[in-house]
Amino acid sequence: MAAAPEISHRSVEANGITVHVAEAGPEDGPAVLFVHGFPELWYSWRHQMEHLAARGYRCVAPDLRGYGGTTAPPDPSSYTIFHIVGDLVALLDALRLPHVFVVGHDWGAIVAWNLCLLRPDRVRALVNLSVAFMPRNPSIKPIDYFRRAYGDDYYVCRFQETGFEAGFASFDLKRFFKMAITVQTTGSSAMSLKKMQASNKEITLPSWLSEEDISYLASVYAKTGFAGGLNYYRCLDLNWELMAPWTGAKVQVPTKFIVGDGDLAYHHPGVKGYIHEGGLKRDVPMLEEVVVIKGAGHFIQQERAQEISDHIYDYIKKFDTGLSTPKLSKL
């Protein structure tokens, strides 16, 4: 049996910041850009990187602006969707990758939708997980919507508060990540620091998540803190203002969308109807597949690693006739 492809790491200067990038697979293979969410890192894609690298793909997984080994500007307004998409385009330029497949999850899915909206010329095809495209509503700002729908204590609203990230400092980070990633009402949609800190429930890790995985996340976030990730939420209203010219614009990239039926993002009001009753297809005309995975939660690329890896490979391989036969790594 061939050894698993090695994941290498380097720093790349792009868009005025230093981006930490994890890479795997042959340099001359078709490139796949993986975009992580919150509270995550490139590490969320380790299984998919290994799977696709072994099949001849060049896998590129950065820590996004504000995360891990990538620069974290202090000003919250430095985290607009234009900054993040700009970072990715500049990263592709630095790596001399004119076109890539894109795979996104959670906030990374939001970034990936916008990368495709703003620069479809750089994307061969998109596989997005968990968070559907959200067309701009010109009649209400996002934070006003969340306050009306869920109240001031909703995590997105709480994240707007200056200094909220300090609350993570008093947390046992290993316990935090165990709860955040495995809790049944899973994902950042269920994030309440008060409830999490008050809980004394014993946490048993599922088979798909190890103590080593938790330790890696906790050790990185102990160094960086959470301000970078929270600043994405703090730019929601600013993004709404800046994206006004793209009101009604469509995502014109071949797309596959995957969501777990236990993901809270799938159960937000109106989301199921939007996905299954024509809204998503209207806004993403080249949507080719929607996959709902039974019994899966929010961190689906880890929880159902093999299944998601197969879904990604089965979709993108049809764009590469030269890779119709898997080219297993000799590493």
Side-chain angles (χ1 to χ4, degrees), residues 113-131:
W113 289 122
N114 282 278
L115 172 61
C116 294
L117 189 66
L118 298 171
R119 292 302 303 271
D121 57 304
R122 303 303 296 267
V123 183
R124 300 183 65 185
L126 170 68
V127 180
N128 251 351
L129 313 180
S130 296
V131 178

Side-chain angles (χ1 to χ4, degrees), residues 20 71-72 92 102 126-127 140 160 201 215 218 231 239 258 260 267 271-272 305 328:
H20 165 243
T71 303
L92 298 183
V102 177
L126 170 68
V127 180
I140 187 170
Q160 305 304 309
K201 179 183 175 184
S215 293
N231 284 336
N239 287 336
I258 306 170
H267 294 277
V271 169
K272 278 188 187 179
L328 294 179

Side-chain angles (χ1 to χ4, degrees), residues 159-178:
F159 284 0
Q160 305 304 309
E161 299 169 14
T162 302
F164 185 86
E165 55 270 23
F168 289 92
S170 60
F171 222 109
D172 175 340
L173 289 183
K174 287 187 180 181
R175 181 170 177 80
F176 166 77
F177 281 108
K178 286 179 182 180

Side-chain angles (χ1 to χ4, degrees), residues 146-185:
F146 286 124
R147 288 194 198 283
R148 290 183 194 178
Y150 304 109
D152 290 341
D153 207 39
Y154 187 55
Y155 79 103
V156 174
C157 303
R158 295 297 308 278
F159 284 0
Q160 305 304 309
E161 299 169 14
T162 302
F164 185 86
E165 55 270 23
F168 289 92
S170 60
F171 222 109
D172 175 340
L173 289 183
K174 287 187 180 181
R175 181 170 177 80
F176 166 77
F177 281 108
K178 286 179 182 180
M179 295 181 75
I181 296 175
T182 66
V183 68
Q184 282 305 107
T185 50

